[in-house]
Every structure is written in C-alpha cells, then in structure tokens.
Amino acid sequence: MDHEGDANRTNLMTITRFVLNEQSKYAESRGDFTILISHIVLGCKFVCSSVNKAGLAKILGLAGDTNVQGEEQKKLDVISNEVFVKALISSGRTCLLVSEENEDAIIVPPAQRGKYLVVFDPLDGSSNIDCGVSIGTIFGIYMVKDTNNVSVEDALQPGSSLVAAGYCMYGSSCTFVLSTGNGVNGFTLDPSLGEFILTHPNIKIPKKGKIYSVNEGNAKNWDEPTTKYVESCKFPQDGSSPKSLRYIGSMVADIHRTLLYGGIFMYPADKKSPNGKLRVLYEVFPMSYLMEQAGGQAFTGKQRALDLVPEKIHDRSPIFLGSYDEIEKMKELYAESKANGA
C-alpha cells in the first residue's frame, strides 16, 4: 500500500474546508453561508451523478413540457431543478429562490427561512446532453434585509449586490468554480472521495486572449460594433495573428475556457433578439461577477453588466465577457458607433 500517498491525500483543501477558512476571517459569521454553500455543493454532486448516468438511465427524453423560456425541457432539467429547490429550502438559510425553470419566484415558508436569496439555472446547456457536451449549473447569492416581508422585488437587485456566485460544470471532470468576493477558485470532484478538491486556486484571466467565442450563425443580424470586432479577430490590421474561434453553445463550458485561457465570450443583441438572449439574474450576473473577480470585465454594449437593474426576474441582456483588453476594444467600438450616430 502507498501509505505516503494516502497521507498526502488527507491534507487536501476541500471546498468545505476552504469555505470554513473564509468564514473564520469574519468574527460576526455564524456559519449560515457555509451551510448554504454545502447544500449547493450537494445538489451539484447529485446532478453530476445524474448527468453521468443519463445515457444508461433512459432519462434523456423530453419531459413533454416547455419551460417559461419556451424551451423544451429535458427530464434532467426537471430533476435538477427539483434537486436544487429542495436542497436550498432544506438548508434553512434561504428566503427566496429564482430558477430558470420556474415562471414565478419561490418564497420559502417562514419556518424554513434564512437571510439569503439564490438565483440559479439548474442545468444550463441541457440541449447538449444527448451529445455528451459539457453542461452546468449557474448560481448567484444575495442577502435580503427583511426576511419577514419577502417579495419578488427582493430579487430585482443589481449584480453588484451579489455576495457570491459560481457554477458547476459537468464534463470530463466535475468542476465547481466559486467566488465569495475575494477572487475566484476552482475545485474538482474527486469521485473516490466524493469531495471537491481545490485544483485552480486564485484564477486570473489573462489580460489579452487569442480566442473569441460567439454564435456566428447570427452574424447577419449583428450590430456594427460586434461585426467590426469579429472582423478584426479574423483579419487583424496590426500584423498580429488571427484569433481562433471556439463556440460550444453551453455557456458554462464557454465561460470556463474563457476564464482559464483568456479571450472574449459574446452573446450580443441582434435584430432577432434586440434585448439579447441570456437571462440577467442567473446567467449574466453570476458570470459577470466571476469575470470581474478574476480580473476581466463584463459589458452589455451600453454599461457595466453588474450595474444593470432587472425589471423582471426573467429579463434578458446582451453580454460581452472576457479579458480586460478585449472588452476595452469592444467598449471603444460601441463608443465610436454611438459618436457616429449608428
């Protein structure tokens, strides 16, 4: 037996240990946040297991309904949503939940209420399940001041009010990426231990990137700044090499690659979707928060993404996320376009 190897494996930074360490920095902390994160992690482990068994368990077929976004629901969407709703309510630390799969916000019964509000997309990119492409869960956490009088309006906060955000990617490995406002850290599930281990400490996105990520099938409907930026990626005028195009069509996977390798991820407004396609609360905000925490930027085409104030829980927005310098270029193109009255 490799006793030395086993001994080394006991000194691992698990996600629970990591969050407890963060908690100890705040004398007033009572551990509520730690409990909430552990329930989210449990939900992710369950969904990871379901995703891995999906092909065998014959739960891939359509559930027969369409969700509030008009998308056909896969059975895994339904299961994942139920898992997270139950995990979050049973934590006793939440008072309001907003899920992509539920038309209305879920107000937690008073007896099980806590001070946190969680917004989440339980299974983003679920149309990719059948072909084995990485999919994921996205979440954001806010605090609610008055837990006795909770309403949907509590969810309509700007992204700058988030206290934490993250995602869990179910792919070749199961990766959990989290920020509590002090940088971004990535954890990988060790199946033999059933624990998420810190594998990507203090993720910093490169200042520039060689990859752009966008659905070019929508190119004919783009606005001028997006068209110009993509043109400059393919045919740079400064003598530099062209950028590579990488687009998976699963936001979690595309953002994960962008965070690690740099570059830009775009889902702009276009003639077909003038308000953009991605949802503000549980897609745009959490990913923008992570991007800024990692040293990148997030821009809507008009403003910093985290300064948006949603009017409804399922509002959509255009979004440009990525390396600091790439988003600066995008901002310049929009400013130029505005100055020219385009």
Side-chain angles (χ1 to χ4, degrees), residues 231-305:
E231 196 72 7
S232 73
C233 291
K234 296 176 177 180
F235 307 103
Q237 300 298 306
D238 58 2
S240 61
S241 299
K243 290 190 187 335
S244 298
L245 168 66
R246 298 281 183 274
Y247 185 70
I248 298 164
S250 175
M251 190 189 191
V252 172
D254 279 315
I255 293 294
H256 189 66
R257 184 203 53 248
T258 305
L259 263 181
L260 297 183
Y261 300 161
I264 187 170
F265 169 84
M266 304 180 266
Y267 212 116
D270 58 31
K271 290 171 194 157
K272 208 169 59 176
S273 308
N275 297 321
K277 190 96 183 285
L278 298 177
R279 271 70 58 147
V280 172
L281 272 182
Y282 39 80
E283 289 175 328
V284 170
F285 279 170
M287 294 309 200
S288 300
Y289 183 84
L290 289 167
M291 205 54 79
E292 286 197 5
Q293 285 291 321
Q297 294 194 78
F299 179 59
T300 67
K302 292 180 181 170
Q303 64 183 121
R304 175 188 176 221

Side-chain angles (χ1 to χ4, degrees), residues 45-288:
K45 286 178 186 173
F46 187 98
V47 173
C48 178
S49 170
S50 300
V51 168
N52 289 340
K53 289 186 294 204
L56 301 169
K58 292 196 175 177
I59 52 173
L60 283 181
L62 296 175
D65 297 319
T66 55
N67 69 5
V68 60
Q69 313 301 339
E71 299 166 338
E72 287 185 320
Q73 280 183 302
K74 297 277 184 179
K75 283 184 178 170
L76 266 176
D77 283 12
V78 181
I79 295 164
S80 305
N81 192 45
E82 284 175 5
V83 164
F84 280 105
V85 169
K86 285 173 183 168
L88 291 166
I89 292 175
S90 67
S91 73
R93 301 299 181 274
T94 59
C95 55
L96 188 68
L97 309 177
V98 175
S99 166
E100 192 219 14
E101 301 294 340
N102 295 94
E103 190 159 0
D104 300 316
I106 299 166
I107 296 175
V108 177
Q112 292 174 288
R113 248 177 232 176
K115 60 185 176 186
Y116 292 106
L117 146 63
V118 182
V119 294
F120 61 99
D121 184 345
L123 204 60
D124 183 70
S126 55
S127 60
N128 285 319
I129 295 167
D130 291 7
C131 58
V133 169
S134 295
I135 52 181
T137 298
I138 309 171
F139 66 90
I141 302 172
Y142 292 94
M143 277 180 86
V144 173
K145 290 190 177 75
D146 185 0
T147 57
N148 295 317
N149 297 300
V150 181
S151 71
V152 179
E153 279 64 45
D154 288 310
L156 305 178
Q157 302 185 43
S160 52
S161 300
L162 281 163
V163 295
Y167 61 79
C168 188
M169 184 174 73
Y170 315 110
S172 54
S173 58
C174 183
T175 310
F176 191 94
V177 175
L178 174 69
S179 176
T180 57
N182 295 310
V184 182
N185 291 278
F187 304 80
T188 304
L189 184 64
D190 181 337
S192 65
L193 298 174
E195 286 281 7
F196 279 101
I197 309 297
L198 181 64
T199 49
H200 297 75
N202 197 21
I203 296 169
K204 290 286 176 208
I205 184 170
K207 201 157 183 284
K208 292 180 177 174
K210 295 177 181 172
I211 297 170
Y212 72 102
S213 185
V214 65
N215 182 353
E216 289 219 47
N218 294 328
K220 71 169 187 173
N221 295 317
W222 285 345
D223 59 17
E224 188 192 10
T226 306
T227 305
K228 277 189 176 174
Y229 180 85
V230 171
E231 196 72 7
S232 73
C233 291
K234 296 176 177 180
F235 307 103
Q237 300 298 306
D238 58 2
S240 61
S241 299
K243 290 190 187 335
S244 298
L245 168 66
R246 298 281 183 274
Y247 185 70
I248 298 164
S250 175
M251 190 189 191
V252 172
D254 279 315
I255 293 294
H256 189 66
R257 184 203 53 248
T258 305
L259 263 181
L260 297 183
Y261 300 161
I264 187 170
F265 169 84
M266 304 180 266
Y267 212 116
D270 58 31
K271 290 171 194 157
K272 208 169 59 176
S273 308
N275 297 321
K277 190 96 183 285
L278 298 177
R279 271 70 58 147
V280 172
L281 272 182
Y282 39 80
E283 289 175 328
V284 170
F285 279 170
M287 294 309 200
S288 300

